[in-house]
């Protein structure tokens, strides 16, 4: 049986962190095998956020193990992109520090579980949210991008 990204993603052992909801993958050059996976999520709390990144780390780790055995996998990197909202009254510094603290905790957990996986991440403001909350508070929309890859 040929190992593909779909086979890896459907592996029940890797599904302990949940299913992939919305993603794109792309190939490099003329190759037909996926090299990168991009998963998109709407803003969520800390636990699902952590689970999503752990799932992608497990996929990258599994693909790296297959590549080491067979040299057939081109799957190299996964990206996790999510959006979130913060009250307009929160300063940019507060939001960035808060998100970087969350991401650092996730990074520490990944390092404990997968020694060969590294995370790089960034947080940036997208602008004002189109919707106010139930108390009519204005919110700013933020994006979080996480790159998950093997140590090269």
């Amino acid at each position: 049986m040929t190992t593909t990204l779909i086979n890896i993603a459907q592996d029940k052992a890797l599904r302990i962190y949940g299913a992939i909801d919305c993603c794109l993958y792309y190939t490099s050059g003329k190759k037909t095998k996926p090299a990168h996976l991009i998963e998109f999520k709407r803003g969520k709390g800390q636990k699902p956020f952590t689970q999503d990144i752990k799932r992608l780390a497990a996929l990258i780790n599994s693909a790296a193990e297959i590549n080491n055995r067979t040299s057939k996998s081109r799957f190299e990197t996964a990206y996790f992109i999510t959006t979130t909202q913060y009250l307009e009254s929160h300063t940019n510094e507060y939001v960035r520090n808060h998100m970087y603290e969350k991401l650092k905790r996730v990074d520490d957990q990944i390092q404990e579980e997968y020694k060969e996986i590294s995370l790089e991440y960034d947080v940036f403001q997208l602008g004002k949210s189109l919707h106010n909350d139930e108390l009519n508070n204005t919110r700013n929309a933020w994006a979080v991008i996480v790159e998950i890859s093997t140590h090269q």
Side-chain angles (χ1 to χ4, degrees):
M1 177 171 147
T2 304
T3 301
T4 66
L5 177 59
I6 301 302
N7 297 124
I8 294 169
Q10 292 175 344
D11 184 341
K12 289 190 187 302
L14 299 178
R15 299 283 304 271
I16 60 172
Y17 298 120
I20 293 174
D21 296 330
C22 177
C23 70
L24 295 173
Y25 73 87
Y26 64 96
T27 59
S28 58
K30 295 180 182 178
K31 307 289 184 187
T32 58
K33 295 178 183 176
H36 309 284
L37 173 73
I38 305 168
E39 183 171 355
F40 302 93
K41 294 280 183 160
R42 268 186 44 213
K44 303 198 275 185
Q46 173 73 27
K47 187 173 182 180
F49 183 92
T50 302
Q51 299 297 73
D52 292 329
I53 295 172
K54 281 185 172 183
R55 181 184 56 259
L56 293 172
L59 284 169
I60 290 289
N61 189 61
S62 180
E65 289 173 359
I66 291 167
N67 192 37
N68 287 340
R69 289 194 311 267
T70 65
S71 297
K72 294 194 183 229
S73 175
R74 291 270 312 129
F75 188 36
E76 301 166 353
T77 310
Y79 298 90
F80 176 74
I81 302 171
T82 188
T83 58
T84 190
Q85 295 182 15
Y86 281 85
L87 291 174
E88 189 176 41
S89 60
H90 288 129
T91 65
N92 289 350
E93 182 180 11
Y94 168 84
V95 174
R96 282 194 173 86
N97 287 341
H98 185 250
M99 291 307 300
Y100 283 131
E101 286 173 15
K102 279 184 169 184
L103 291 163
K104 176 67 173 124
R105 285 193 298 269
V106 174
D107 196 5
D108 291 344
Q109 291 175 23
I110 297 295
Q111 291 304 307
E112 284 179 26
E113 196 164 342
Y114 304 106
K115 303 288 186 234
E116 298 300 315
I117 301 294
S118 64
L119 301 184
E120 290 189 32
Y121 39 85
D122 202 0
V123 178
F124 56 94
Q125 186 176 0
L126 297 172
K128 291 201 185 309
S129 175
L130 298 177
H131 305 285
N132 294 344
D133 66 15
E134 60 278 356
L135 299 175
N136 208 28
N137 292 315
T138 305
R139 295 181 168 272
N140 287 324
W142 289 79
V144 178
I145 299 177
V146 181
E147 178 186 85
I148 304 134
S149 61
T150 56
H151 298 300
Q152 297 289 340

